[in-house]
């Protein structure tokens, strides 16, 4: 009975995990949904058991599956004198278990390559001397021998590269420095990695000429200032989706590339997740959460339900940072080509096809198996669909997932990739020994941990990143030469140079039958890393550009800017462009004389009907007032500014009873204040982490995943209010006692505050006073009968969570590069930090 109970519990746990990963909460909704793909089974078995599934045919049939089951059963019921059951090594490497791409011998060889002698191939330097080149060949030979496997482990190992009839001389292949400019480190957040490792990775990729990726944990603003050597030491690629952790106006405006994380190959559907043990005071401060609390970004992107929504986010990001390349991270899956085509039409600059390998830094072990497809399958489909639809020249294709050698990169190039991402390999270069304890915060090499005693063991150097990836770039040069190509661009999409090996256990015809494509002349001779945006997409708002020009002219003249304008729904993300300019020009407005009223530097006074994303990412010092109505995403990513939307003077409907703004307002806000003198739609203040807001009614899913800030609702709320809320508080005016049934009581508690809680009541009264001054008659009526009206409010706060005890920090341990914390972050930290 105990054994049966254990099996049932394991099956239920696995099923619930799968349901959660797919974003489905009820078994009835999962039934018949076909949310899986078949890989490697033969046609007879697929036709019998999975007739409607997406399929990549192979050679495994009923007999092979039966033989494996019988073999396991015989081993399980062997005599007691038999040896113990072998450990298959599905997660951690075991000598008798399955093959691992990063087996100990591979880790050792990778680190040896990362600690080699200088190769002398940095930008502007001549080719390596003959002796140095010979030494490099020797090291690469040893590395390739360690990485090469006797049996295929990846799809690319089922492919054969046709050699050139006449190889190219190595000296005529493009330099390693130009190839390395195409390299990026995969997204690994500050939080999943310790600060020292995160900084070493960023510094190393910059020294290489490539780009590192922040992941979705944000960055310490102190890192935006150059280091002692004068070099920038923040990540060039800053990952976003509107409600990801740490997304502020400063973060967005300073990026060289902005990557929208739509999916992750190793754990699609689950969003970002950081165990509570890793959420120290520093990490919690930067992410605007609670120390010791597990952090999960919203698994579904609640502001992206269509390609049109994605296009809106791309327009928002381009408004605040017009010079950044904007890309979208997709997961390799059947049908990803259609999505990639939509992304190209949404005017992204690059598409990342992420493979199933990975989960570096924070993923639970149960999250990194049986999810996603190999990048080879997704990349080939994306490239082919884009070529067929005439869209391939509009975007750059990037891929990642277990890349290790120049041959891997050449196969990726022939399948359509132009840029390459490295995750685990980069950490191995810095000293990772693949202990696979990332999620436990017990990394023995001080890389994937926040514990200061373990971080003290970190010995990684940026130079190791440079050394390793310069060697890999040199390895790709040798592969290009042997295949008869002089550059990466010459090889992109040349699938005609690939064949399947004999007896491949997977049908590779879909990979090898794509249309021919040649890199357009307009893109030739330009390393993508430095190419800038490739899209000529429409601007979010010509009005915002004009208003920004007027405002900056006033500030330059030493005066506050107050600008008036009529607005129409075609004007989107108004305010974002100004916030970007003020962030990149911090001295702008410094000469403006202040006054006692605390008036903003710039005030927009608008009238009419605003388009989507009014006030997106608006920063401190900027205020927007709209007399009229607004669309979806008002105050998306609000970053310290103030937004007021109230009905115009000629409005005929009753104030407060009608919607005055659309869905997903205040989504992912980090600071500032929003006043809506009327109702808002669904998903109000999802992942709010610091802003204050007053609204006169909201739809379903209000305050979901909220980690900070204050929301006051002067009206009814929809169902599921406060789901996943871990910080901040919400007030609901509930004189009829009807709101309790619409709360997610698994996440929040609700109570009528006692009269003695004067501080809470005063905070509420201050917000109501501001709302009344914004034009709200309802707020004015409540204030007129204060404090009696205070008793009609329901205070909603997070349920006391299970918080992991984080050890108090020891004396700060200095490393190279040194980690500094900005004054703003220090001020926000709890006393005694």
């Amino acid at each position: 009975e105990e054994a049966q109970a254990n099996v049932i519990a394991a099956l239920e746990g696995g099923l619930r995990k799968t349901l959660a990963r797919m974003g489905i909460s009820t078994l009835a909704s999962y039934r018949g949904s076909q949310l899986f793909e078949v890989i490697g089974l033969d046609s007879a078995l697929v036709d019998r058991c999975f007739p409607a599934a997406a399929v990549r045919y192979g050679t495994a049939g009923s007999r092979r599956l039966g033989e494996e089951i019988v073999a396991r059963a015989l081993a399980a019921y062997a005599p007691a004198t038999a040896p113990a059951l072998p450990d298959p090594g599905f997660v951690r490497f075991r000598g008798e278990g399955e093959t691992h791409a990063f087996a100990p011998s591979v880790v050792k060889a990778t680190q040896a390559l990362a600690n080699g002698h200088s190769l002398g191939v940095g930008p502007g330097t001549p080719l390596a001397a003959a002796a140095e080149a010979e030494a490099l060949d020797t090291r690469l030979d040893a590395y390739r021998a360690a990485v090469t496997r006797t049996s295929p482990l990846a799809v690319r190992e089922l492919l054969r590269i046709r050699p050139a009839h006449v190889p190219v001389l190595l000296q005529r292949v493009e330099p390693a420095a130009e190839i390395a400019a195409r390299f990026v480190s995969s997204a690994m957040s500050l939080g999943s990695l310790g600060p020292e490792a995160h900084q070493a990775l960023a510094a190393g990729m910059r020294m290489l000429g490539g780009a590192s990726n922040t992941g979705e944990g944000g960055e310490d603003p102190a890192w935006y200032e150059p280091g002692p050597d004068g070099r920038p030491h923040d990540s060039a690629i800053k990952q976003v989706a509107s409600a990801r952790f740490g997304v502020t106006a400063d973060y967005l405006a300073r990026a060289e590339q902005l990557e929208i994380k739509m999916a992750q190959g190793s754990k699609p559907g689950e969003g970002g997740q950081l165990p509570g043990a890793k959420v120290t005071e520093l990490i919690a401060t930067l992410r605007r959460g609670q120390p010791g609390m597990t952090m999960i970004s919203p698994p579904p992107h609640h502001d992206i339900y269509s390609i049109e929504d994605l296009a809106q986010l791309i327009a928002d990001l381009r408004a605040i940072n017009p010079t950044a390349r904007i890309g979208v991270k997709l997961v390799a899956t059947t049908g990803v080509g259609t999505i990639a085509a939509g992304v190209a039409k949404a005017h992204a600059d690059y598409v990342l096809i992420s493979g199933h390998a990975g989960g570096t830094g924070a993923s639970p072990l149960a999250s990194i198996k049986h999810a996603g497809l190999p990048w080879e399958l997704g990349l080939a489909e994306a490239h082919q669909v884009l070529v067929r639809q005439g869209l391939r020249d509009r975007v750059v294709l990037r891929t990642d997932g277990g890349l290790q050698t120049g041959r891997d990169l050449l196969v990726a190039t022939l399948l359509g990739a132009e840029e390459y991402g490295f995750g685990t390999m980069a950490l191995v270069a810095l000293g990772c020994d693949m202990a696979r304890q990332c999620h436990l915060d017990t990394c023995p090499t001080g890389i994937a941990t926040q514990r200061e005693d373990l971080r003290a063991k970190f010995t990684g150097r940026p130079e190791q990143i440079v050394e390793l990836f310069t060697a890999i770039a040199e390895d790709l040069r040798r592969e290009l030469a042997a295949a008869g190509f002089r550059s990466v661009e010459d090889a992109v999409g040349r699938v005609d140079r690939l064949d399947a090996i004999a007896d491949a256990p997977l049908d590779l015809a879909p990979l090898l039958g794509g249309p021919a494509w040649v890199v357009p002349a307009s893109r030739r001779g330009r390393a993508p890393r430095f190419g800038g945006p490739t899209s000529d997409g429409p601007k979010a708002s010509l009005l915002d550009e004009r208003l920004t020009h007027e405002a900056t002219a006033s500030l330059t003249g030493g005066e506050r800017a107050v600008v008036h304008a009529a607005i129409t729904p075609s004007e989107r993300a108004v305010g974002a462009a100004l916030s970007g300019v003020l962030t990149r020009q911090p001295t702008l407005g410094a000469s403006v004389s202040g006054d006692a009223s605390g008036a903003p530097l710039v005030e927009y006074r608008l009238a009419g009907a605003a388009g989507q994303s009014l006030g997106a990412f608006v920063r401190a010092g900027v205020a927007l007032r709209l007399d009229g109505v607004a669309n979806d995403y008002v105050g998306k990513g609000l970053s310290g500014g103030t937004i007021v939307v109230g009905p115009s003077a000629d409005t005929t409907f009753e104030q407060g009873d009608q919607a005055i703004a659309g869905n997903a307002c205040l989504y992912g806000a980090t600071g500032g204040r929003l006043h809506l003198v009327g109702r808002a739609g669904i998903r109000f203040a999802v992942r709010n982490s610091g802003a204050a807001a007053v609204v006169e009614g909201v739809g379903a899913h209000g305050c979901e995943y909220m980690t900070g800030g204050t929301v006051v609702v002067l009206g009814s709320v929809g169902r599921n209010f406060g789901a996943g809320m871990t910080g901040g508080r919400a007030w609901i005016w509930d004189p009829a006692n009807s709101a309790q049934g619409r709360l997610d009581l698994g996440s929040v508690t609700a109570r009528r505050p006692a009269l003695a809680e004067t501080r809470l009541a005063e905070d509420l009264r201050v917000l109501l006073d501001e709302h009344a001054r914004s034009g709200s008659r309802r707020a004015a009526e409540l204030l007129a009968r204060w404090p009696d009206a205070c008793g009609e409010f329901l205070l909603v706060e997070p349920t006391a969570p299970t918080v992991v005890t984080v050890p108090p920090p020891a004396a700060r341990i200095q490393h190279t590069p040194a980690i500094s914390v900005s004054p703003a972050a220090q001020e926000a930290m709890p006393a005694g930090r």
Side-chain angles (χ1 to χ4, degrees):
E1 290 181 358
E2 182 181 355
Q4 292 178 4
N6 289 341
V7 170
I8 291 172
L11 291 173
E12 287 183 347
L15 178 59
R16 289 166 61 85
K17 177 73 172 179
T18 304
L19 298 179
R21 170 175 280 157
M22 293 295 99
I24 295 175
S25 57
T26 66
L27 189 62
S29 296
Y30 187 82
R31 186 175 294 116
S33 60
Q34 299 277 350
L35 288 174
F36 59 87
E37 301 180 41
V38 175
I39 305 175
L41 300 183
D42 68 14
S43 58
L45 184 56
V46 171
D47 291 345
R48 177 180 179 183
C49 300
F50 310 107
V55 59
R56 309 270 185 166
Y57 287 110
T59 59
S62 301
R63 174 170 291 278
R64 174 176 165 183
L65 299 186
E67 289 171 350
E68 292 180 357
I69 292 170
V70 170
R72 284 198 295 271
L74 291 175
Y77 291 100
T81 56
L85 289 174
D87 184 341
F90 289 151
V91 177
R92 291 180 174 85
F93 176 83
R94 293 293 182 264
E96 70 278 14
E98 69 176 14
T99 304
H100 279 229
F102 280 95
S105 60
V106 177
V107 170
K108 183 177 180 180
T110 303
Q111 292 174 348
L113 196 59
N115 287 289
H117 299 294
S118 172
L119 303 178
V121 291
T125 60
L127 290 173
E132 193 169 359
E134 184 177 350
L136 171 61
D137 285 338
T138 301
R139 292 201 302 276
L140 284 174
D141 287 344
Y143 173 74
R144 283 192 294 257
V147 173
T148 302
R149 292 172 278 271
T150 56
S151 59
L153 187 62
V155 172
R156 55 189 172 275
E157 293 167 22
L158 304 176
L159 298 170
R160 182 181 68 88
I161 302 173
R162 297 180 188 175
H165 295 298
V166 180
V168 173
L169 292 175
L170 183 62
Q171 292 85 343
R172 296 186 177 180
V173 178
E174 68 176 314
E178 293 183 13
I179 292 176
R182 301 174 180 270
F183 291 178
V184 303
S185 64
S186 300
M188 293 174 281
S189 70
L190 174 59
S192 66
L193 305 186
E196 294 79 11
H198 204 268
Q199 284 257 272
L201 185 57
M205 292 305 294
R206 283 193 179 275
M207 291 167 62
L208 178 72
S212 63
N213 191 318
T214 60
E216 58 173 276
E219 286 182 305
D220 185 344
W223 297 359
Y224 299 149
E225 299 299 324
D229 58 357
R231 295 174 178 267
H233 54 128
D234 61 325
S235 290
I237 308 171
K238 304 196 191 299
Q239 196 176 75
V240 304
S242 306
R244 296 298 176 189
F245 294 108
V247 176
T248 65
D250 283 355
Y251 177 83
L252 297 175
R254 297 174 187 272
E256 296 175 32
Q257 301 183 45
L258 290 165
E259 182 174 285
I260 300 169
K261 179 180 177 181
M262 283 298 298
Q264 180 162 318
S266 64
K267 47 178 182 163
E270 291 189 277
Q273 43 191 317
L274 188 66
K278 288 192 167 188
V279 184
T280 62
E281 291 174 351
L282 172 62
I283 300 304
T285 299
L286 296 178
R287 295 187 176 217
R288 292 163 176 79
Q290 317 303 318
M293 178 164 304
T294 296
M295 290 187 169
I296 302 177
S297 289
H301 288 233
H302 292 320
D303 64 336
I304 301 175
Y305 288 93
S306 65
I307 290 296
E308 288 77 12
D309 293 335
L310 179 62
Q312 179 60 48
L313 178 55
I314 291 172
D316 297 339
L317 297 178
R318 208 175 296 287
I320 192 170
N321 192 337
T323 63
R325 295 176 70 204
I326 298 175
V328 178
K329 182 177 184 180
L330 303 177
V331 61
T333 183
T334 299
V336 72
T338 301
I339 306 302
V343 170
K345 294 175 182 178
H347 303 288
D349 298 308
Y350 72 84
V351 177
L352 167 59
I353 304 296
S354 188
H356 69 306
T360 309
S363 298
L365 296 183
S367 295
I368 60 175
K369 292 286 186 180
H370 312 296
L373 293 185
W375 57 259
E376 296 92 332
L377 305 181
L379 172 64
E381 179 183 332
H383 173 73
Q384 292 173 22
V385 171
L386 289 168
V387 171
R388 290 191 180 102
Q389 295 196 13
L391 299 169
R392 184 60 184 85
D393 61 335
R394 287 175 54 167
V395 292
V396 168
L397 277 182
R398 180 182 295 174
T399 196
D400 69 9
L403 299 170
Q404 290 179 287
T405 65
R407 183 189 185 279
D408 292 346
L409 301 187
L410 181 55
V411 172
T413 306
L414 297 175
L415 290 175
E418 300 164 83
E419 298 179 346
Y420 322 95
F422 304 87
T424 301
M425 191 176 182
L427 298 189
V428 170
L430 292 174
C432 169
D433 61 5
M434 296 299 292
R436 293 167 172 85
Q437 299 168 198
C438 306
H439 59 299
L440 301 177
D441 199 35
T442 56
C443 174
T445 56
I447 294 174
T449 180
Q450 301 302 320
R451 284 175 45 180
E452 294 203 24
D453 59 325
L454 295 176
R455 284 163 48 198
K457 299 180 179 181
F458 177 67
T459 59
R461 297 173 292 106
E463 291 77 9
Q464 291 167 313
I465 296 292
V466 177
E467 202 72 45
L468 174 65
F469 290 119
T470 302
I472 297 301
E474 286 286 355
D475 195 28
L476 177 55
R477 291 184 71 235
R478 284 152 176 76
E479 294 286 346
L480 288 167
F485 298 111
R486 296 192 179 192
S487 67
V488 169
E489 286 178 343
D490 291 340
V492 173
R494 291 293 306 275
V495 71
D496 58 299
R497 300 296 300 279
L498 289 172
D499 290 317
I501 65 172
D503 301 322
L506 191 67
D507 180 12
L508 299 175
L511 275 74
L512 305 177
W517 183 72
V518 178
V519 177
S522 61
R523 292 247 306 265
R524 287 183 167 273
R526 185 180 72 179
R529 170 73 176 80
F530 304 105
T534 60
S535 171
D536 58 353
K539 295 181 178 179
S541 173
L542 296 177
L543 172 65
D544 198 23
E545 287 194 351
R546 177 173 65 82
L547 299 183
T548 298
H549 178 75
E550 293 180 16
T552 53
S554 295
L555 296 177
T556 302
E559 298 180 355
R560 286 183 59 242
V562 179
V563 293
H564 297 75
I567 190 170
T568 65
S570 64
E571 306 294 345
R572 302 172 294 157
V574 170
L578 174 64
S579 292
V581 169
L582 293 178
T583 297
R584 289 185 292 273
Q585 302 179 37
T587 60
L588 192 63
S591 61
V592 177
S593 57
D595 57 34
S597 66
L601 284 174
V602 179
E603 184 177 359
Y604 285 1
R605 295 179 181 174
L606 310 171
Q612 293 176 326
S613 300
L614 174 69
F617 313 118
V618 164
R619 61 170 296 128
V622 178
L624 275 63
R625 168 79 200 209
L626 169 63
D627 293 328
V629 294
N631 214 303
D632 296 339
Y633 318 134
V634 174
K636 172 194 290 188
L638 186 63
S639 193
T642 301
I643 303 173
V644 176
V645 181
S648 58
D650 58 355
T651 297
T652 58
F653 59 80
E654 180 63 27
Q655 186 189 93
D657 291 342
Q658 297 291 327
I660 201 167
N663 301 320
C665 297
L666 210 68
Y667 191 78
T670 59
R673 199 170 70 248
L674 170 65
H675 293 277
L676 296 180
V677 187
R679 294 182 59 85
I682 65 172
R683 304 200 187 283
F684 184 84
V686 170
R687 262 289 292 146
N688 175 33
S689 61
V694 186
V695 60
E696 306 195 355
V698 299
H701 315 297
C703 297
E704 238 185 340
Y705 299 106
M706 188 162 139
T707 64
T710 303
V711 171
V712 180
V713 183
L714 303 181
S716 63
V717 299
R719 61 185 176 84
N720 202 42
F721 188 91
M725 184 175 173
T726 58
R729 61 172 56 94
W731 295 90
I732 302 174
W733 181 52
D734 186 32
N737 293 314
S738 60
Q740 189 92 11
R742 296 191 176 101
L743 308 181
D744 177 32
L745 296 178
S747 302
V748 296
T749 61
R751 62 187 175 86
R752 303 282 180 181
L755 293 177
E757 297 180 271
T758 55
R759 183 183 62 81
L760 288 174
E762 180 59 20
D763 291 344
L764 172 60
R765 193 196 65 77
V766 169
L767 284 174
L768 290 179
D769 185 62
E770 292 286 347
H771 198 59
R773 284 194 282 163
S774 299
S776 170
R777 290 198 292 267
R778 183 168 297 176
E781 292 166 359
L782 291 170
L783 290 171
R785 51 190 186 85
W786 201 263
D788 291 342
C790 183
E792 298 172 359
F793 280 86
L794 199 62
L795 175 60
V796 179
E797 294 178 305
T799 303
T802 301
V803 176
V804 177
T805 301
V806 179
R812 182 161 296 280
I813 302 167
Q814 295 298 324
H815 300 279
T816 301
I819 304 303
S820 58
V821 182
S822 69
Q826 289 177 347
E827 184 177 350
M829 286 181 181
R833 171 63 177 169

